[in-house]
Amino acid sequence: GMSSAARADVKRAYDLVFRSGLNVTQAVERSREIEWSPEALVFIDFIRERTKRGICNARSGLAADPD
């Protein structure tokens, strides 16, 4: 399993990308200033990879109000 310290670091990385109010590009730039655990680096490196389709914001998958 993952240590509690590594889990907390992954959560911190997730929060930086999806909950900090920064866009992904800004979050990636900010992430370069932070020392990450190897487990968090896997997540950060995945986000840093430029893809043609991009990544989905954590909130964009919410269902729309049917009214």
Side-chain angles (χ1 to χ4, degrees), residues 37-50:
S37 67
E39 294 86 353
L41 275 176
V42 171
F43 174 75
I44 292 293
D45 288 343
F46 176 79
I47 298 298
R48 285 179 183 161
E49 295 280 325
R50 293 274 180 192

Side-chain angles (χ1 to χ4, degrees), residues 1-15 35-44:
M2 191 182 299
S3 72
S4 60
R7 194 174 313 112
D9 211 27
V10 171
K11 181 183 182 317
R12 189 169 56 113
Y14 178 90
D15 288 346
E35 189 171 327
W36 299 103
S37 67
E39 294 86 353
L41 275 176
V42 171
F43 174 75
I44 292 293

Side-chain angles (χ1 to χ4, degrees), residues 22-45:
L22 302 173
N23 66 38
V24 173
T25 303
Q26 293 167 331
V28 166
E29 288 304 314
R30 176 94 33 100
S31 75
R32 296 180 195 282
E33 303 166 4
I34 301 169
E35 189 171 327
W36 299 103
S37 67
E39 294 86 353
L41 275 176
V42 171
F43 174 75
I44 292 293
D45 288 343

